[in-house]
Amino acid sequence: MTVTLADVAARARVSPATVSRVLNGNYPVAASTRERVLRAVDDLDYVLNGPASSLAAATSDLVGILVNDIADPFFGIMAGAAQTQIGGPGDGSGRAGGEKLAVICNTGGSPERELTYLTLLQRQRAAAVVLTGGAVENPAHQAAMSAKLAKLADAGTRIVFCGRPPLPEGDALVAALTFDNRGGGRRLAEHLVSLGHRRIGYVAGPPERTTTRHRLEGHREALRAAGLAAAPAGADRDRSSDDQERLTVHGPYDRRSGYEATLELLRRAPDVTAIVAANDTVALGACAAVRDQGMRIPQDISVAGFDDLPFSVDAVPALTTVRLPLFEAGARAGRLAMGKENPPPGGIATIAAELMIRGSTAAPRG
């Protein structure tokens, strides 16, 4: 049932005129009254500036692209690529054609901000929403996301995930383009093991993120396959698990985290011969920490990253990493959001990750 302005007024215990004044912002209203009205709007999921009921299912020319951090090249590349398909050039006349207005919504990694932006896009009757990057693994947030996305879809909004797995209740999606983070993590660890590394530290991302869990699972899967995560005969069976935890430090996906986590790893396990970073930005911090400890890369310790961001090949030495086709994935998400491309079978496509072997990894000394 469509929520009306009168419903909001009744919920907030004010007149419909007061609700209009609060929502239009063109008349002074007491702070306590304004707060009651806005709370009622949120509680009832009222859509602001809704058109006449005969046009209730119409959408606007707006497309929202949600990112954790637009300053992070991982998100910037995907968002920029999506925008090329959403708001590309017209016919040169200056008139709008089939393009949409792409708006970047920077969540800062906050689940609450993610939901807030989706509510705002719902109120603007967005034509499409593209959500990039990993998701928060919290049942309450996942349930709230499923409910919010279902309402968007019911109103005609096309929803595309780019770089994140579908939610448990994902019927509202047009498509989910997921990266093979687990496979990439496994291949990177296999490379280090093949070089002879047996003590490998891991600088992981935030533990609540799907990207973090999948990359770390792939890493540990490779170690188990190589017999490096199994406890020796007669040893406490929890010993190998404890050792893997000791060789793993979690933190944000930024350079500072890479630096500080690497110092902590070297303190915990001075015998590590290689460090795998959660992404390339974290790897830069790890490289700086290694050098500040008077060690050389890769002669004394190998360092590897993930994503193959543009600067990784220009690091000294060039960074061994896992390439994700970020631009290609973002552009495809943009086409799906615009209805220019048919969804993949079942609505889900797994995008392969490619190992890029460069100078920052080598066989351990001795």
Side-chain angles (χ1 to χ4, degrees):
M1 179 182 296
T2 302
V3 176
T4 67
L5 186 139
D7 295 328
V8 175
R11 180 69 168 252
R13 303 186 306 281
V14 298
S15 69
T18 298
V19 175
S20 292
R21 289 166 182 163
V22 170
L23 300 183
N24 292 328
N26 58 3
Y27 194 88
V29 177
S32 59
T33 302
R34 173 183 170 80
E35 178 60 29
R36 279 208 319 277
V37 170
L38 294 178
R39 189 181 304 118
V41 167
D42 285 340
D43 290 345
L44 297 175
D45 230 356
Y46 176 62
V47 177
L48 301 179
N49 300 320
S53 58
S54 62
L55 296 177
T59 57
S60 69
D61 286 335
L62 181 71
V63 174
I65 304 175
L66 272 65
V67 301
N68 280 6
D69 181 4
I70 194 61
D72 184 335
F74 177 86
F75 294 101
I77 291 170
M78 284 192 290
Q83 193 167 16
T84 65
Q85 302 299 315
I86 294 166
D91 59 7
S93 66
R95 296 187 302 270
E99 300 86 5
K100 303 289 185 184
L101 174 64
V103 176
I104 308 299
C105 304
N106 201 94
T107 69
S110 165
E112 294 77 15
R113 291 300 300 167
E114 189 170 59
L115 287 168
T116 296
Y117 277 126
L118 290 176
T119 297
L120 293 172
L121 290 165
Q122 178 190 0
R123 292 173 182 171
Q124 295 297 322
R125 300 190 178 277
V129 174
V130 178
L131 296 98
T132 65
V136 173
E137 294 190 301
N138 175 283
H141 179 65
Q142 289 177 334
M145 284 288 290
S146 293
K148 179 61 65 179
L149 294 176
K151 289 182 178 180
L152 279 159
D154 287 345
T157 300
R158 300 175 66 85
I159 299 163
V160 178
F161 282 3
C162 183
R164 73 165 67 188
L167 289 162
E169 301 293 331
D171 293 342
L173 295 180
V174 168
L177 307 179
T178 68
F179 293 131
D180 186 14
N181 285 306
R182 190 179 284 105
R186 183 178 63 251
R187 283 187 285 278
L188 185 54
E190 288 171 345
H191 165 64
L192 292 170
V193 169
S194 72
L195 291 174
H197 293 281
R198 297 295 178 266
R199 298 286 286 167
I200 304 171
Y202 195 102
V203 181
E208 70 277 6
R209 292 277 168 182
T210 54
T211 300
T212 299
R213 179 170 64 85
H214 293 161
R215 292 180 183 183
L216 186 53
E217 284 177 352
H219 173 81
R220 290 180 174 176
E221 181 182 303
L223 297 186
R224 284 194 300 272
L228 299 180
D236 184 338
R237 63 183 179 182
D238 292 331
R239 174 177 162 186
S240 62
S241 175
D242 290 345
D243 193 47
Q244 284 303 306
E245 292 301 324
R246 191 165 66 92
L247 290 174
T248 304
V249 179
H250 289 272
Y253 284 113
D254 58 36
R255 183 185 181 281
R256 179 177 179 179
S257 172
Y259 186 92
E260 294 176 350
T262 297
L263 294 181
E264 174 61 18
L265 273 175
L266 294 174
R267 183 191 67 78
R268 292 183 188 180
D271 59 337
V272 295
T273 60
I275 292 175
V276 175
N279 67 12
D280 292 343
T281 303
V282 173
L284 288 187
C287 289
V290 167
R291 292 191 182 98
D292 284 353
Q293 294 301 299
M295 292 183 286
R296 300 166 299 166
I297 303 170
Q299 294 90 338
D300 299 317
I301 192 165
S302 291
V303 178
F306 209 110
D307 294 337
D308 195 24
L309 297 178
F311 59 76
S312 63
V313 72
D314 295 320
V316 180
L319 194 62
T320 291
T321 185
V322 175
R323 181 180 188 272
L324 296 180
L326 300 175
F327 187 91
E328 294 87 343
R332 186 178 181 186
R335 291 193 297 272
L336 287 163
M338 293 289 285
K340 298 177 179 178
E341 179 177 321
N342 292 327
I348 302 173
T350 301
I351 299 174
E354 180 184 1
L355 179 62
M356 310 297 292
I357 300 173
R358 299 186 180 124
S360 66
T361 53
R365 291 193 302 173

